[in-house]
Amino acid sequence: MRVRVYVTLKPSVFDPQGRTVTEALHSIGHDAVRDVRQGKYFELDVAAGTAAEASRIASAAADTLLANPVIESYRIDVDDPAAVGPGAAR
Amino acid sequence: MTSGPISDSVLERHGLKRDEYARILEMLGREPTLTELGIFSVMWSEHCSYKSSRVHLKTLPTTGPRVLQGPGENAGAVDIGDGLAAVFKIESHNHPSFIEPYQGAATGVGGIIRDIFTMGARPIALLNSLRFGSLDLPLVRRTMTGVVAGIAGYGNSIGIPTIGGEIGFDESYTGNPLVNVFCLGISRADEIIKGTASGAGNPVYYVGAKTGRDGIHGATMASAEFDDKSAEKRPAVQVGDPFMEKLLLEACLEVMKTDTLVGIQDMGAAGLTCSTCEMGSRGGAGVEIDVSLVPQRETGMTPYEIMLSESQERMLLVVKRGREAEVERIFEKWDLHAVCIGTVTTDGRMRVKDRGTVIAEIPNTALTDEAPLYRRPMQEPAYLAEVRRFDPAELGAPAAPAAVLRRLLASPGVASKRWVYRQYDHMVRTNTLVTPGMGAGVVRIKGTTRALALSADCNARFVYLDPYVGAQLAVAEAARNVACAGGEPIGATNCLNFGNPEKPEVMWQFAKAVEGMGAACRALGIPITGGNVSLYNETDGRAVLPTPVLGMVGLLEDADRAVRRTFREAGDVIVLLGESKAEIGGSEYLKVMHDRIAGSPPALDLAREAGLQRLLVAGAKTGLIRSAHDCAEGGLAVTVAESCFDTGIGAVVDLEAVGAPDQALTSVMTLFSESASRAIVSVVPARVPELLELAREHGVPARRIGLVGGSTLRFGIDGVPVAEVALAEAQEIWETALERALEVEPALA
Amino acid sequence: MKFAVVVFPGSNCDHDAYHAVKHVLGQDAEFVWHKDASLRGADVVLLPGGFSYGDYLRTGAIARFSPIMREVTRFAAGGGPVIGICNGFQVLLECGLLPGAMLRNRSVQFQCEFVHVRVEQVDTPFTAACVPGQVLRIPIAHGEGNYYAEPDVLTALEANRQVIFRYTTASGDVTEAANPNGSLNNIAGICNTQRNVVGLMPHPERACELAVGSRDGLVVLESVVKSVSSAGGALAGSPQ
């Protein structure tokens, strides 16, 4: 089962890359972009029977490795043909 | 300015004691506002006020003919000739590096670089001194990997070479790594800029990154005012932005050339609070700012948060009135916006307004000179009696010397640190004459014939066993390292890492170490021009080994004469300078082979140490000494081995030539004793008598102990090998040990 | 002869390049700020190493929008010699003056160390003074120097002899062990089809004096002096 993990800095953690990208966008005319937060995106191929199980496994992976809980938070989407709506979020 | 009474719990969360609070009431003549309480709490914290350490630090020698700036400014400075000054300092970032190794270490590097360019100096070299627990633990491997990546990430990006340092390992650092970073810069001796505010009416500017809620610690997050905010909104972790700092560095150095500044200071610990009151205090003036003018990264920040934020890459400048446009123009060039947030006043007070309303008003001196000062009780630690009751005989029969040598070379403390320094750009700016791993780092000063040799050292095991002697040994080792490279030690900075000073035993360690450090510096003629104290380095009530790190600066008149650790040519003669004794206490041997830290550290004769250092410098100056390597962890055997590594040439050493006449040294003692004031040097055969004579003149025992050559490391007696290891094998062990110990972690940057 | 050393915010090898050109090579050098609109009559353009814009987003990605890059592109189109070193190479890739892209090093670490590179072609302005097959010992210092190009691009690069420098052993053998970062075909440096724009990851400007470990890199700078001199200024890329 395919699981998408989006890791971003927590809202209040300073994102120097995002700020620099924002300013670069402004410098080339994309003024409508008010702010940019840069993050990481992972696609996991998880052996799991259900979306809930896949989500749980991905969460564990994010907690222990993919995200740095001190400064980052993450969101998980499970591509489950049998289910609708977003996966577990944290 | 009104506020309700301050409760005990609010005080506790601010780390303030009742009697300290009483003093605040007395100084203000009223109840403080919450913002004022926050300001007092950070300025009176151990970190900013040095309240436990100040009485001891005062005893250190801080003056000398070369000293241009001693303690009290952002960094110290010494005269290096040609009208130039070396500006340098070491600082710790221990706690943040445990919380978030990459960012903690990175922001540590950022902070020390700001301290240097704030003085008007262009930073040209970085060093670091690191301590970690055992690499057997995944947590420690992660911490070390992150710390190294963070140092690299920041230093490399900003373009300042990391040219050396040291790394030590001990279980006591498991939950409390030490990350000490040193930076050195060069400025014109007569153009050093200070962190001072003066001249009533001069504008106060803020420049750099916007202020966020970074670094406001949970402990100081008091009062209901903040209770509705989630923890996620207030990270204690600061994130570094080396790109911003690079712009700040270049812009500030450009502004400093224009004679428009009165003073400048970075916002490090305690952020805007500390820079505001310290600048005012130094200049005997007051500073008035309005927090609503401070550029903010987040919405809804309170004055309390703005004053206490430790967001990185921010500077406070006092500009000469009438020159504002010039300053603003230069910052604009670098895409930075300098914002006027206040003015200099005459009343000696720090006045903070929020949209015109005064929300804090405190005499500067109350926050700086009149901050609490403690003579904390001291007591000799109980462990000392036990660790000193050590008899080498109880160790039993020693292992085969060759096996010991292999084990020592594989010990992370001894092994090559290539895995680490390969990640540091150590060549940028093309000044690095001696690269990491080849001895003290040496950088040339372009436009002169000179170079500086830099080293950071401390053997914490020795300090643990005897803080007084151990700290002396740290001074001696750091100075000896720069002397080996050919540099005359001319100044030092210290970073004193200890446990909880409220424990009399820790305070005793601290006091004795400072005392020993002072005595050694006086004897060697080395002033300490500043530094940093890091206390409360404990986990679960257990303190780290006392670790007073010395950052040493040595001057080479002739950059072409820099000396490396490595032997140069087969046939060269190996000479041991200094006396070897049966001194195995606190040694690497004892730690690695027997897992013990016991005994007494090696004895140190400071007069003899001074002689050795002068000899090393004199021998380097004339090209007489072709290689020089300080005898430290692992003793003679490891020192000889390291002198061979990376050369492809082995060595043959006669152990009988090593022993002092009055000492019957066993082979193991001879090979692995860590007697102080020794160095292994090499010299062409024809000049051996010259070296021996020079040594005699300096009162240094010198012995011809062997020859460079062959393909093995061979230590023998009367031609019979006592220990022999193929050079290629030894080099392989030494070179790969650290990588093997670490390469279990996936690296996610 | 004048070198323009372009300074982007975050460039940090600009002073090294300037020093090598001015004080070691003995040629004229001038810093050109990235917001400038003119290369000030330079004969050679050098994009130095560093971390332009912090290397945020992608290495070299933001620098390519700097005003000076329009001039650099024009200069290159006119046949003027342009060299991008390390981050400068990455900028040339991002702005399309050279093909391909950089991935993170195979080690996933920043690596600073001496390597050996073999000069593959001597018909570029930056290798004209080299001997074919000459091995240079020069340092690398990068975290993203793992050269990548689509298979057809790579084939074309090889077919057109656009690979200028390759990582090798000291004796000039192309081996996996001699490849420090995982670059395809051990590629350390390439040129454009007109051969006047060269990019390489190693730092020749850091290897111009024995005191700092090697002077093997000097030949790269000497080459362009030789090329421009012998061409009598015909290489100059500014539209006349």
Side-chain angles (χ1 to χ4, degrees):
Chain A
M1 206 166 290
R2 188 174 296 277
V3 181
R4 305 168 195 277
V5 182
Y6 304 84
V7 177
T8 51
L9 288 169
K10 289 178 184 173
S12 191
V13 173
F14 177 38
D15 177 11
Q17 302 213 51
R19 178 188 54 75
T20 305
V21 172
T22 309
E23 287 173 9
L25 286 172
H26 291 173
S27 77
I28 55 174
H30 299 294
D31 292 319
V33 180
R34 283 207 292 262
D35 193 23
V36 176
R37 301 281 290 175
Q38 189 170 328
K40 295 186 192 117
Y41 168 67
F42 301 85
E43 282 182 1
L44 277 56
D45 185 2
V46 180
T50 65
E53 189 190 355
S55 176
R56 189 179 48 73
I57 292 167
S59 281
D63 283 332
T64 49
L65 181 66
L66 303 182
N68 176 350
V70 180
I71 52 175
E72 293 171 329
S73 52
Y74 62 86
R75 185 167 65 82
I76 289 173
D77 285 349
V78 181
D79 277 7
D80 180 9
V84 284
R90 195 193 114 161
Chain B
M1 288 192 291
T2 55
S3 68
I6 305 285
S7 71
D8 276 349
S9 73
V10 169
L11 279 189
E12 195 183 321
R13 275 177 285 165
H14 278 83
L16 287 164
K17 303 265 153 50
R18 256 296 151 195
D19 57 330
E20 290 177 337
Y21 182 62
R23 202 162 151 170
I24 291 172
L25 291 179
E26 193 187 322
M27 282 171 156
L28 292 180
R30 59 178 166 78
E31 292 267 343
T33 64
L34 191 69
T35 303
E36 286 173 333
L37 192 74
I39 289 170
F40 272 105
S41 88
V42 291
M43 287 309 294
W44 285 12
S45 70
E46 191 64 57
H47 189 80
C48 288
S49 72
Y50 294 87
K51 57 189 170 189
S52 303
S53 58
R54 237 155 60 204
V55 290
H56 301 283
L57 298 177
K58 271 196 318 212
T59 64
L60 290 170
T62 59
T63 56
R66 287 187 182 273
V67 176
L68 298 169
Q69 179 63 57
E73 276 288 341
N74 289 299
V78 293
D79 192 325
I80 57 167
D82 293 318
L84 299 176
V87 177
F88 58 95
K89 192 181 176 185
I90 191 168
E91 213 164 61
S92 65
H93 230 219
N94 304 339
H95 188 62
S97 300
F98 180 65
I99 304 286
E100 212 304 285
Y102 184 98
Q103 294 297 344
T107 52
V109 173
I112 195 68
I113 291 172
R114 283 195 300 283
D115 278 336
I116 301 309
F117 75 73
T118 294
M119 302 280 290
R122 175 172 284 280
I124 62 161
L126 292 164
L127 300 178
N128 52 71
S129 172
L130 311 176
R131 295 293 185 283
F132 303 102
S134 162
L135 292 177
D136 295 338
L137 299 175
L139 166 79
V140 174
R141 293 197 295 270
R142 268 201 303 278
T143 304
M144 176 165 169
T145 305
V147 164
V148 169
I151 291 172
Y154 209 102
N156 296 351
S157 176
I158 200 164
I160 301 168
T162 300
I163 64 160
E166 56 147 12
I167 308 180
F169 301 88
D170 183 84
E171 291 73 8
S172 69
Y173 304 112
T174 299
N176 197 122
L178 301 186
V179 176
N180 294 181
V181 282
F182 168 103
C183 184
L184 179 138
I186 300 291
S187 84
R188 301 283 322 163
D190 54 1
E191 290 175 5
I192 291 174
I193 294 176
K194 308 209 170 164
T196 186
S198 62
N202 279 331
V204 176
Y205 272 81
Y206 171 113
V207 66
K210 291 177 180 174
T211 297
R213 292 190 172 93
D214 322 48
I216 305 171
H217 287 275
T220 58
M221 293 305 298
S223 123
E225 197 178 334
F226 307 107
D227 283 354
D228 57 337
K229 307 252 167 69
S230 75
E232 190 167 87
K233 279 191 175 169
R234 284 185 241 107
V237 177
Q238 304 107 304
V239 174
D241 182 357
F243 173 54
M244 170 64 82
E245 178 130 320
K246 170 71 173 167
L247 300 181
L248 266 182
L249 185 163
E250 297 297 341
C252 286
L253 289 180
E254 200 170 320
V255 166
M256 287 162 176
K257 285 198 194 113
T258 61
D259 184 35
T260 54
L261 291 187
V262 174
I264 178 167
Q265 176 150 346
D266 83 296
M267 295 184 223
L272 191 52
T273 291
C274 183
S275 49
T276 304
C277 67
E278 281 194 355
M279 287 187 82
S281 174
R282 288 199 195 100
V287 172
E288 177 179 306
I289 59 170
D290 192 317
V291 290
S292 65
L293 301 172
V294 170
Q296 292 157 44
R297 200 178 74 226
E298 303 178 55
T299 52
M301 287 188 69
T302 64
Y304 179 102
E305 290 174 317
I306 294 168
M307 289 307 291
L308 267 57
S309 161
E310 293 191 356
S311 289
Q312 298 287 299
E313 292 94 18
R314 304 178 300 159
M315 308 289 286
L316 197 68
L317 288 70
V318 175
V319 175
K320 291 178 182 166
R321 194 162 32 161
R323 310 289 296 273
E324 294 89 339
E326 270 173 87
V327 172
E328 288 173 16
R329 205 175 313 123
I330 291 171
F331 282 114
E332 289 295 336
K333 172 190 163 187
W334 291 96
D335 297 325
L336 299 169
H337 311 293
V339 180
C340 182
I341 62 164
T343 51
V344 177
T345 66
T346 54
D347 62 8
R349 287 167 168 266
M350 170 193 198
R351 192 175 301 105
V352 181
K353 293 180 172 177
D354 183 16
R355 284 177 219 75
T357 307
V358 175
I359 46 148
E361 181 166 351
I362 307 171
N364 289 324
T365 49
L367 297 169
T368 54
D369 299 345
E370 289 165 25
L373 194 59
Y374 296 125
R375 269 175 208 286
R376 296 207 187 269
M378 298 189 274
Q379 190 192 331
E380 183 167 328
Y383 74 81
L384 280 175
E386 192 185 330
V387 293
R388 282 178 184 161
R389 209 171 34 234
F390 165 71
D391 177 6
E394 72 198 55
L395 298 174
V404 175
L405 179 57
R406 287 190 184 89
R407 286 275 300 276
L408 289 182
L409 292 174
S411 156
V414 168
S416 167
K417 307 300 185 292
R418 196 182 82 103
W419 182 90
V420 173
Y421 65 71
R422 192 177 79 151
Q423 296 182 58
Y424 301 150
D425 189 339
H426 48 265
M427 303 180 191
V428 62
R429 301 202 75 79
T430 60
N431 293 324
T432 312
L433 305 181
V434 178
T435 51
M438 297 301 276
V442 179
V443 280
R444 64 179 173 186
I445 311 299
K446 285 196 187 111
T448 77
T449 59
R450 294 161 204 262
L452 295 173
L454 309 175
S455 189
D457 291 286
C458 175
N459 184 326
R461 286 196 292 262
F462 292 164
V463 187
Y464 174 76
L465 294 175
D466 186 333
Y468 182 85
V469 174
Q472 291 195 324
L473 287 164
V475 174
E477 186 187 352
R480 198 184 314 133
N481 269 331
V482 302
C484 278
E488 177 198 348
I490 57 168
T493 171
N494 60 7
C495 196
L496 308 172
N497 307 275
F498 288 78
N500 180 352
E502 294 163 46
K503 293 181 182 169
E505 301 197 332
V506 169
M507 206 57 225
W508 186 89
Q509 288 179 327
F510 182 86
K512 287 290 170 190
V514 171
E515 207 182 305
M517 185 175 281
C521 284
R522 268 186 290 272
L524 299 174
I526 303 167
I528 293 191
T529 61
N532 169 242
V533 177
S534 172
L535 301 175
Y536 299 97
N537 290 291
E538 302 208 345
T539 317
D540 300 331
R542 197 182 154 218
V544 298
L545 295 184
T547 315
V549 176
L550 264 292
M552 189 67 62
V553 178
L555 177 64
L556 288 89
E557 299 289 344
D558 186 350
D560 293 337
R561 296 297 192 184
V563 176
R564 292 169 179 74
R565 69 163 159 82
T566 42
F567 291 145
R568 304 272 288 277
E569 225 174 321
D572 281 358
V573 175
I574 304 170
V575 174
L576 170 66
L577 304 176
E579 205 77 72
S580 302
K581 299 174 197 151
E583 295 178 309
I584 210 81
S587 65
E588 191 76 18
Y589 171 83
L590 212 51
K591 178 68 185 172
V592 170
M593 301 305 292
H594 300 281
D595 195 24
R596 291 190 60 176
I597 303 177
S600 294
L604 178 64
D605 177 334
L606 286 164
R608 187 163 272 187
E609 175 69 42
L612 171 66
Q613 292 177 18
R614 280 195 295 270
L615 167 63
L616 288 164
V617 174
K621 224 170 233 171
T622 57
L624 173 61
I625 291 178
R626 302 191 84 197
S627 75
H629 193 22
D630 163 45
C631 248
E633 286 90 342
L636 178 83
V638 165
T639 308
V640 169
E642 289 178 345
S643 300
C644 294
F645 291 155
D646 305 317
T647 68
I649 317 171
V652 181
V653 171
D654 178 10
L655 291 182
E656 273 205 320
V658 172
D662 60 336
Q663 296 273 355
L665 295 179
T666 65
S667 299
V668 162
M669 276 295 183
T670 311
L671 287 164
F672 306 114
S673 152
E674 295 184 9
S675 293
S677 309
R678 294 185 304 163
I680 294 283
V681 303
S682 63
V683 58
V684 292
R687 297 184 78 178
V688 173
E690 195 184 333
L691 177 63
L692 297 181
E693 173 57 22
L694 194 65
R696 202 188 52 77
E697 283 168 23
H698 285 85
V700 176
R703 292 181 179 80
R704 178 190 171 120
I705 61 162
L707 285 176
V708 178
S711 59
T712 65
L713 300 167
R714 184 184 168 131
F715 301 90
I717 294 176
D718 281 342
V720 181
V722 169
E724 185 165 15
V725 182
L727 178 65
E729 183 203 346
Q731 164 118 21
E732 167 79 11
I733 293 170
W734 176 78
E735 214 170 57
T736 58
L738 192 58
E739 203 160 339
R740 275 186 280 115
L742 280 162
E743 73 181 6
V744 226
E745 298 303 310
L748 276 188
Chain C
M1 178 171 311
K2 187 158 110 181
F3 286 67
V5 178
V6 178
V7 182
F8 298 102
S11 291
N12 65 30
C13 302
D14 45 345
H15 288 272
D16 302 356
Y18 183 91
H19 171 76
V21 170
K22 189 119 176 178
H23 302 125
V24 184
L25 194 63
Q27 297 292 330
D28 195 13
E30 194 175 343
F31 290 121
V32 175
W33 183 235
H34 77 118
K35 288 179 189 167
D36 287 355
S38 159
L39 290 166
R40 314 224 189 123
D43 303 290
V44 182
V45 172
L46 191 153
L47 306 187
F51 286 70
S52 58
Y53 292 94
D55 272 359
Y56 297 154
L57 187 59
R58 289 185 309 279
T59 55
I62 300 178
R64 81 174 178 100
F65 291 106
S66 282
I68 196 66
M69 286 311 292
R70 280 195 293 273
E71 277 313 297
V72 173
T73 305
R74 217 152 47 156
F75 181 83
V82 175
I83 187 168
I85 300 169
C86 197
N87 193 233
F89 184 13
Q90 293 161 340
V91 174
L92 291 174
L93 295 173
E94 281 285 341
C95 73
L97 282 173
L98 291 174
M102 289 297 171
L103 302 174
R104 291 193 74 181
N105 292 349
R106 195 167 38 182
S107 66
V108 208
Q109 286 175 351
F110 189 95
Q111 285 169 239
C112 175
E113 59 196 332
F114 271 97
V115 297
H116 293 94
V117 295
R118 191 175 72 194
V119 180
E120 300 291 271
Q121 308 292 340
V122 297
D123 59 341
T124 80
F126 297 97
T127 49
C130 300
V131 177
Q134 185 175 349
V135 176
L136 310 177
R137 182 175 169 273
I138 49 183
I140 55 166
H142 59 245
E144 296 190 23
N146 181 353
Y147 182 79
Y148 173 84
E150 296 285 335
D152 54 328
V153 175
L154 198 63
T155 308
L157 277 176
E158 295 287 3
N160 298 333
R161 300 185 303 105
Q162 284 173 259
V163 177
I164 305 305
F165 300 102
R166 235 185 273 274
Y167 299 111
T168 64
T169 61
S171 50
D173 298 319
V174 175
T175 68
E176 198 50 32
N179 185 344
N181 50 30
S183 291
L184 291 177
N185 296 10
N186 281 41
I187 289 173
I190 58 173
C191 71
N192 61 350
T193 50
Q194 294 79 37
R195 312 191 81 73
N196 63 317
V197 178
V198 168
L200 76 166
M201 286 314 290
H203 287 271
E205 85 286 10
R206 290 190 186 187
C208 291
E209 295 167 275
L210 278 182
V212 291
S214 169
R215 57 198 311 277
D216 286 4
L218 196 55
V219 71
V220 174
L221 300 176
E222 286 168 345
S223 289
V224 73
V225 174
K226 177 182 160 187
S227 299
V228 174
S229 309
S230 64
L235 283 171
S238 300
Q240 302 302 310

